[in-house]
Amino acid sequence: MWLSWKLLLFLSLTGCLSEYSEAVPGVPTSYAAILRIKSGSSSLASFNSKNRPRLSSPSLGSVSSPGWRGAAQHYHSPTNLYHFSETFKNDESVDYGPVFVQEPDDMIFPTDSEEKKVSLNCQARGNPTPTYRWLRNGTEIDVESDYRFSLIEGSLIINNPSEIKDSGQYQCLTTNMFGSILSREAILQFAYLGNFSGRTRSAVSVREGQGVVLMCSPPLHSPEIIYSWVFNEFPSFVAEDSRRFISQETGNLYISKVQTSDVGSYICLVKNTVTNARVLSPPTPLTLRNDGVMGEYEPKIEVHFPYTVTAARGTTVRMECFALGNPVPTISWRKVNGHNPSKARLRKSQAVLEIPNVQLEDSGIYECKAENSRGRNVFRGQLQVYTYPHWMEKLNDTQLDSGDQLRWECRATGKPRPTYRWLKNGVPLWPQSRIEMINGVLMIHSVNVSDAGMYQCLAENKYGTIYASAELKILASAPTFPLNQMKKTIIVTKGQEVVIECKPQASPKPTITWKKGDKVLRENKRITILPHGSLRILNASKSDEGRYLCQGVNVFGSAEIVASVSVKEPTRIELTPKKIELTVGESIVLSCKALHDSTLDVTFYWTHNGQPIDFEKEGGHFESIKAQASSADLMIRNILLMHAGRYGCRVQTAADTVSDETELLVRVPDLISGDMESAMAVELNPWVEYEFRVVATNKIGTGDPSAPSRVIRTNEAVPKTPPANVSGRSGRRHELVIAWEPVSEEFQSGEGFGYIVAFRPNGTRGWKEKMVTSSDASKFIYRDESVPPLTPFEVKVGVYNNKGDGPFSPIVVICSAEGEPTAAPIDVKATSLSVSEILVAWKHIKESLGRPQGFEVDYWKDMQQEEAAEKVKTEGNESSILLTGLEGNTLYHLTVRAYNAAGYGPPSTAVHAATKKSPPSQPPGNIMWIQDGSHVSLGWEPVRPLANESDVMGYKVLFRQEGQSNSQVIETQKTSAVVLLPDVGVYIIEVCAVSEGGDGTASPQIRVPSFSGGKVTSAQSTLHVLSTSSSSVTLLLALMVPSTSW
């Protein structure tokens, strides 16, 4: 039965006891172990354990590694393996160089494994389909000549692997016609555990109360092992306490003070963390001497961490310290140059300092102190935290014309700071005459076809290497013209500038020639060919009319376009009348006439004060009248004061646009008899300059106004206008602040203008008066130490000038300043919102003195002093603020206090909040996609955040057309999505994880063409059936798109 959806892609996940492959965050390389398969199975099994640090020789200060279990338990990591249900062909029009879908991971192979095969995985996509080669320790493996090697779809299979022959560094090299890229290095190691020497161990004899160290001397092994000790007989294990300690670095058993109960036989037991194999040492007898009891003595530190401990950021650091002594010493720890990290834990009776998720700020000198009643002993060592390289800026595929300059920059962070190398087609790239490489920047001058290929930037420090790949295509094509440049007719007027566009698409850049008619066009002062090929003609005339041809030529061919130029007489405009002065209620007609070339059509537009007139929304006051083809009128009826202003007429033709303006003045009538020759202007303001004009009017109309009279100033007088809006302002304690609006100059009525400020306590009789001599003053401050806060005063402000005192303003009641706030904010809460934001909220006690103008929030990091706090202010009655720009995964302390003009109030009790962890730094991996017409079905591996990163809440799929900046977003909680590409073109698709700390690192970009019909896949594969042991399970995820014909 057909379903309406078709199964396109299977995502197969085989999981067996995944808790035995716990990941160490932040490490870009990984180990894996071989999964045992039931006898008779022909399927290959190779599974990768992500993010496992490479092993080094043990030291006394260690970084935690996952505890591997025995091979018999069929352990492996939860890696996703993609299989296709059908084989699809890529669209042949979309060609691109190889891109890794899966790269090999570090692997540990148990030497006693029943499955005698190792599989190093490698898969790439590209069009044409890539081929594969493998390198071991930099030398290519000849798969054909050695029967032990075989290739299956890019993966390298090693039959009967041997530690001597096969251990080392492996890299996958994948190639198609566009070039080659080299995978990251994968280290193949072999897990084994030898036997202890069978030689009998001598008895250790000590006095009671004396300290002793029993040596384990472990056998040869790989990788790390776990130590424990058996007392007398198995399974009676030695219990660790403040007196007994087993070092997981040396394997030795330390007893700080021997007691009678310790006499017996001791056996060291070691277990391989990968194979789970265990071996026992010969017994070591411990006896007591009979020559007395050991007296008390000061501590002697017998085991301690190295002088320098190095650890990767995000891992767990364990530092050991144990001392012999009588009485039994106590162990304490401190960070010499600061406080112990709050996350640090003490284990094994304080003999081990454990710092989980170690960060750069945890670096420093640490001190272990052993102390008893007889004395003390101290050891110091330094913790250095490093980070693996991490990309800040990667490469993008680039297309260039021959002769252009390439500039690629890749930037990575890390500690130590990474250095950079470059590969081209998997081979080291060296500086040459045209090639420069400086600090992660690659520059190739004047590129040519030989520079095309696959390039890789390697960022590396002593702890790891990361790879970024990109393809360089050198374009080589004959000139072609886009449709919008073909067959044009250009119409201009005399004197204008003409630009005829000619921008052919070609590589290399074509040579441009212009012809007018049959003659080659020569450049002069008026005619020039612009740098991009277009032709510019200045001050066009009738002689410039004609047929123009542009031809572009390069080594691959030529193309041409034709344009016709027509030169017309310029349009002129007449707008009448030029200046109008009307009385409210009158009407007017404005006439606009265009003088233009008879072959051109004209269009008229009217404006008022620069804005187009909307004839339908002006209440019938405006009407457009088209009298003739070359003229138009504007009727303005029943004019209002609001209709005064500039009126414009704009005339537009196919060749040019011209405009003109006239001014309309609207007045209110103030008429006197026509036989009078003088008039009296009354009720003018004193001490103000005036000028006058006279206008004559009769039944026929109004004449032009007279010229202005000379400027006349009225006489001085006592001011009559008091200040307005007398009010109080905030100030310091014991201050009365009085404010007002200054009297404008036209109402000051004379020289020597100033203010009289009068005030008295409410309910008293006598006024205190203060003179303010500045006419611009707007505030007066009276200070009296005896005035309590919020004392009410009656206040009035008067005016005066040289002619005398004017009136006072109405009396208002103003209170003296209440001073700085006296109460701290309450109910302060801090809520973390993201990796860089904390919301702080509080309440203010309204009954307290000192009304706040705002609040100040002080915040500082856990390891800082309060004096170093950052400060941010709010204004008004706001009761919350969002702090931004904070450091991620950091504990902050915060206080809030009110402030006003008088000063600051007391701070609140400090509250605490930690910013969210950073968003995941790892992008979604192994993105697979299949296209069915405009539908693209995507699948990817889930992102597993590091210990110091936020948990993944879902995913975003961002897609946009190439050349556009705005992306559309699909949000999902699954590891798959279906994207509908709405328009024809090439789309850029990226996927990123979403967390409470924000969006994670985006995946590498996918370029997908959108077209009608057809199917495109990102790789080709056939469906495989994976046989697993009975302890495994298989999960299938089907990605669906709507059914179409296949």
Side-chain angles (χ1 to χ4, degrees):
M1 176 179 177
W2 277 98
L3 298 177
S4 61
W5 298 81
K6 288 199 174 183
L7 181 63
L8 294 184
L9 178 66
F10 288 104
L11 177 63
S12 176
L13 169 65
T14 305
C16 303
L17 301 178
S18 59
E19 67 272 18
Y20 294 145
S21 56
E22 175 187 349
V24 176
V27 187
T29 55
S30 59
Y31 286 112
I34 297 302
L35 176 68
R36 294 179 187 266
I37 303 297
K38 286 184 178 180
S39 60
S41 170
S42 60
S43 300
L44 299 174
S46 62
F47 303 91
N48 305 319
S49 174
K50 298 290 186 183
N51 300 329
R52 182 174 170 82
R54 290 184 174 157
L55 298 179
S56 58
S57 57
S59 61
L60 293 178
S62 69
V63 181
S64 68
S65 303
W68 291 79
R69 309 301 172 95
Q73 297 185 26
H74 309 293
Y75 52 87
H76 67 87
S77 67
T79 298
N80 293 335
L81 304 176
Y82 285 84
H83 299 276
F84 288 102
S85 58
E86 296 182 41
T87 300
F88 300 102
K89 292 184 178 179
N90 288 342
D91 179 2
E92 294 181 358
S93 66
V94 184
D95 293 336
Y96 57 95
V99 178
F100 280 116
V101 174
Q102 186 177 20
E103 297 183 63
D105 289 312
D106 291 353
M107 183 171 290
I108 301 177
F109 178 80
T111 55
D112 61 349
S113 171
E114 296 177 3
E115 176 62 43
K116 298 301 182 181
K117 293 179 181 179
V118 169
S119 177
L120 295 169
N121 295 327
C122 181
Q123 185 182 356
R125 55 184 172 86
N127 192 12
T129 303
T131 59
Y132 302 88
R133 290 178 289 162
W134 281 83
L135 309 177
R136 176 177 175 267
N137 297 332
T139 302
E140 184 173 350
I141 298 173
D142 188 350
V143 177
E144 301 296 331
S145 62
D146 192 334
Y147 73 94
R148 295 188 310 112
F149 295 104
S150 59
L151 280 179
I152 298 181
E153 295 181 351
S155 296
L156 177 67
I157 312 301
I158 307 175
N159 293 288
N160 299 316
S162 162
E163 180 183 11
I164 297 175
K165 295 181 180 179
D166 301 319
S167 61
Q169 295 178 344
Y170 287 78
Q171 286 179 282
C172 171
L173 183 71
T174 180
T175 305
N176 70 5
M177 62 179 291
F178 294 106
S180 305
I181 53 174
L182 192 63
S183 75
R184 65 189 176 207
E185 293 179 350
I187 297 179
L188 174 60
Q189 286 184 287
F190 289 77
Y192 59 88
L193 179 61
N195 290 314
F196 281 95
S197 168
R199 187 173 51 190
T200 301
R201 298 193 174 190
S202 302
V204 177
S205 184
V206 295
R207 293 177 180 175
E208 183 179 351
Q210 186 178 355
V212 70
V213 179
L214 301 181
M215 311 297 289
C216 179
S217 301
L220 295 175
H221 59 274
S222 175
E224 64 263 22
I225 55 179
I226 297 174
Y227 298 90
S228 56
W229 282 79
V230 176
F231 182 57
N232 287 330
E233 62 181 13
F234 188 87
S236 174
F237 288 94
V238 174
E240 295 180 84
D241 51 25
S242 61
R243 198 172 58 84
R244 292 171 294 190
F245 175 69
I246 300 171
S247 170
Q248 293 302 318
E249 304 298 341
T250 65
N252 299 334
L253 171 61
Y254 300 84
I255 303 176
S256 63
K257 175 187 174 183
V258 174
Q259 300 175 354
T260 306
S261 59
D262 295 324
V263 173
S265 179
Y266 290 84
I267 301 170
C268 180
L269 184 150
V270 297
K271 182 177 75 170
N272 190 293
T273 56
V274 171
T275 64
N276 266 352
R278 305 183 186 189
V279 292
L280 298 169
S281 70
T284 301
L286 177 64
T287 63
L288 287 182
R289 292 167 54 177
N290 54 11
D291 56 350
V293 177
M294 183 74 177
E296 293 184 351
Y297 63 96
E298 66 180 16
K300 175 188 177 185
I301 294 179
E302 193 67 34
V303 57
H304 58 73
F305 55 100
Y307 288 100
T308 301
V309 178
T310 58
R313 183 174 64 182
T315 58
T316 296
V317 175
R318 295 182 180 89
M319 292 184 281
E320 296 183 349
C321 182
F322 190 78
L324 309 183
N326 188 3
V328 175
T330 57
I331 306 295
S332 60
W333 294 82
R334 75 181 183 99
K335 187 178 181 183
V336 175
N337 50 352
H339 299 290
N340 282 350
S342 58
K343 59 194 171 184
R345 301 290 182 266
L346 295 175
R347 309 291 189 193
K348 296 189 177 182
S349 300
Q350 305 192 105
V352 176
L353 175 65
E354 181 179 282
I355 306 176
N357 188 24
V358 68
Q359 299 297 312
L360 295 176
E361 57 265 26
D362 298 327
S363 299
I365 297 174
Y366 286 82
E367 177 185 272
C368 156
K369 180 171 68 175
E371 193 169 17
N372 64 11
S373 59
R374 305 296 296 179
R376 66 176 184 173
N377 202 347
V378 172
F379 175 81
R380 288 182 177 181
Q382 185 171 29
L383 171 61
Q384 296 179 351
V385 180
Y386 64 85
T387 60
Y388 295 95
H390 176 74
W391 287 122
M392 301 295 291
E393 183 175 341
K394 295 184 180 181
L395 308 177
N396 290 316
D397 293 342
T398 301
Q399 297 183 2
L400 293 178
D401 292 333
S402 253
D404 286 352
Q405 175 177 295
L406 170 71
R407 187 185 188 279
W408 262 331
E409 181 175 7
C410 58
R411 288 190 299 113
T413 61
K415 186 178 180 180
R417 181 179 299 172
T419 58
Y420 301 92
R421 293 188 289 125
W422 290 86
L423 306 178
K424 179 187 176 185
N425 295 328
V427 177
L429 188 65
W430 304 106
Q432 300 174 21
S433 58
R434 292 186 302 112
I435 301 176
E436 300 178 33
M437 289 173 284
I438 303 174
N439 293 331
V441 176
L442 170 65
M443 293 179 57
I444 304 179
H445 302 279
S446 188
V447 299
N448 55 50
V449 176
S450 68
D451 296 316
M454 299 299 301
Y455 288 77
Q456 291 177 279
C457 177
L458 280 63
E460 55 191 352
N461 62 19
K462 61 191 289 187
Y463 300 106
T465 303
I466 53 177
Y467 291 67
S469 304
E471 179 180 351
L472 174 61
K473 285 186 177 179
I474 306 301
L475 303 178
S477 62
T480 58
F481 287 94
L483 292 176
N484 62 355
Q485 293 185 34
M486 306 293 284
K487 202 68 177 177
K488 281 189 174 181
T489 299
I490 301 172
I491 303 174
V492 296
T493 59
K494 288 181 180 178
Q496 279 190 326
E497 175 184 301
V498 183
V499 175
I500 309 175
E501 192 173 15
C502 179
K503 298 177 182 178
Q505 298 170 347
S507 182
K509 185 177 179 180
T511 301
I512 302 296
T513 56
W514 280 91
K515 290 183 180 180
K516 182 184 177 187
D518 296 328
K519 295 183 179 179
V520 175
L521 204 58
R522 304 295 181 188
E523 292 188 82
N524 53 42
K525 292 183 179 179
R526 205 170 57 83
I527 300 175
T528 55
I529 299 175
L530 300 176
H532 52 68
S534 297
L535 179 68
R536 180 175 66 189
I537 304 174
L538 302 176
N539 193 21
S541 64
K542 279 287 185 181
S543 64
D544 296 317
E545 288 188 324
R547 176 179 177 272
Y548 290 80
L549 180 145
C550 172
Q551 184 180 50
V553 179
N554 68 9
V555 294
F556 298 105
S558 65
E560 59 188 33
I561 57 170
V562 176
S564 296
V565 175
S566 180
V567 182
K568 307 293 183 179
E569 290 293 331
T571 303
R572 291 183 291 117
I573 188 173
E574 294 180 358
L575 177 61
T576 57
K578 279 298 180 189
K579 189 171 184 180
I580 320 104
E581 186 169 340
L582 299 176
T583 302
V584 170
E586 294 182 335
S587 300
I588 187 69
V589 175
L590 303 181
S591 180
C592 184
K593 184 177 181 180
L595 305 174
H596 61 92
D597 191 291
S598 59
T599 62
L600 299 177
D601 295 328
V602 294
T603 306
F604 293 86
Y605 302 92
W606 289 96
T607 62
H608 179 211
N609 291 330
Q611 299 299 317
I613 295 175
D614 188 338
F615 291 95
E616 296 181 358
K617 295 183 179 179
E618 294 296 340
H621 291 282
F622 296 98
E623 181 183 353
S624 178
I625 304 171
K626 187 72 179 293
Q628 303 174 16
S630 298
S631 65
D633 295 338
L634 174 65
M635 167 71 79
I636 311 175
R637 295 187 179 89
N638 191 20
I639 289 175
L640 304 176
L641 283 174
M642 61 183 290
H643 294 144
R646 296 175 290 106
Y647 285 82
C649 175
R650 179 163 56 91
V651 176
Q652 186 170 323
T653 71
D656 60 353
T657 300
V658 291
S659 61
D660 196 8
E661 284 189 342
T662 186
E663 184 175 6
L664 172 61
L665 302 177
V666 180
R667 67 171 182 267
V668 178
D670 184 10
L671 302 178
I672 60 177
S673 175
D675 57 357
M676 294 183 66
E677 294 182 353
S678 64
M680 176 72 74
V682 296
E683 297 182 359
L684 303 179
N685 290 332
W687 200 244
V688 174
E689 292 182 340
Y690 290 91
E691 62 178 18
F692 301 88
R693 294 192 297 171
V694 180
V695 179
T697 184
N698 61 16
K699 294 181 180 179
I700 305 300
T702 300
D704 292 330
S706 68
S709 69
R710 65 182 178 86
V711 175
I712 301 173
R713 180 185 287 273
T714 54
N715 293 329
E716 291 183 280
V718 174
K720 297 181 180 180
T721 305
N725 295 330
V726 177
S727 61
R729 294 286 188 271
S730 60
R732 299 187 179 279
R733 197 178 298 274
H734 309 302
E735 288 182 348
L736 174 67
V737 181
I738 304 168
W740 62 87
E741 287 186 10
V743 176
S744 62
E745 186 177 358
E746 61 181 304
F747 297 109
Q748 292 176 4
S749 301
E751 293 184 332
F753 182 84
Y755 301 92
I756 304 171
V757 181
F759 53 93
R760 65 187 179 189
N762 205 1
T764 62
R765 291 188 175 184
W767 292 90
K768 286 188 178 181
E769 291 188 350
K770 298 292 183 180
M771 307 290 288
V772 179
T773 58
S774 171
S775 61
D776 297 325
S778 62
K779 185 171 67 172
F780 173 76
I781 300 176
Y782 171 71
R783 182 171 180 83
D784 186 347
E785 296 290 339
S786 65
V787 175
L790 298 179
T791 300
F793 281 79
E794 291 180 316
V795 176
K796 59 183 180 179
V797 181
V799 290
Y800 72 90
N801 64 14
N802 291 342
K803 287 293 183 179
D805 295 349
F808 278 92
S809 66
I811 295 175
V812 296
V813 176
I814 297 174
C815 291
S816 62
E818 55 187 325
E820 66 275 8
T822 58
I826 61 174
D827 290 341
V828 180
K829 294 182 175 62
T831 306
S832 176
L833 298 184
S834 71
V835 68
S836 61
E837 297 174 321
I838 291 177
L839 177 65
V840 185
W842 60 88
K843 293 180 181 177
H844 179 66
I845 302 176
K846 296 182 179 179
E847 293 76 20
S848 63
L849 292 177
R851 288 170 295 182
Q853 294 178 349
F855 296 86
E856 181 186 84
V857 178
D858 294 6
Y859 58 97
W860 64 96
K861 299 178 190 175
D862 185 41
M863 302 299 291
Q864 293 178 330
Q865 300 297 319
E866 186 174 354
E867 291 74 17
E870 299 281 341
K871 305 177 187 295
V872 62
K873 286 184 176 181
T874 69
E875 293 183 357
N877 294 323
E878 293 184 14
S879 59
S880 65
I881 189 173
L882 182 64
L883 303 180
T884 61
L886 307 177
E887 290 187 16
N889 198 20
T890 300
L891 179 65
Y892 283 87
H893 305 279
L894 310 99
T895 61
V896 185
R897 58 178 176 170
Y899 71 89
N900 58 22
Y904 289 89
S908 66
T909 303
V911 296
H912 322 285
T915 50
K916 305 290 186 186
K917 294 182 180 180
S918 303
S921 59
Q922 298 299 320
N926 285 349
I927 296 183
M928 308 295 290
W929 55 273
I930 299 176
Q931 183 174 359
D932 183 17
S934 60
H935 291 80
V936 176
S937 183
L938 295 155
W940 57 86
E941 285 188 356
V943 173
R944 293 178 174 83
L946 307 181
N948 61 333
E949 296 175 347
S950 297
D951 291 337
V952 174
M953 301 166 59
Y955 298 88
K956 284 183 181 178
V957 179
L958 302 93
F959 62 99
R960 58 179 171 83
Q961 273 195 305
E962 193 172 48
Q964 296 184 357
S965 57
N966 294 329
S967 295
Q968 300 183 55
V969 179
I970 296 175
E971 295 191 7
T972 178
Q973 292 185 339
K974 302 178 180 178
T975 55
S976 61
V978 177
V979 178
L980 175 63
L981 307 181
D983 300 315
V984 174
V986 176
Y987 281 78
I988 305 297
I989 302 178
E990 298 171 290
V991 184
C992 68
V994 179
S995 71
E996 65 177 5
D999 292 348
T1001 303
S1003 66
Q1005 294 180 349
I1006 300 173
R1007 300 177 75 254
V1008 180
S1010 178
F1011 51 92
S1012 298
K1015 302 175 181 65
V1016 177
T1017 67
S1018 62
Q1020 295 184 357
S1021 178
T1022 56
L1023 177 63
H1024 296 277
V1025 179
L1026 183 65
S1027 293
T1028 63
S1029 67
S1030 59
S1031 61
S1032 68
V1033 293
T1034 299
L1035 305 179
L1036 297 178
L1037 171 64
L1039 299 184
M1040 311 282 233
V1041 300
S1043 174
T1044 58
S1045 355
W1046 289 68

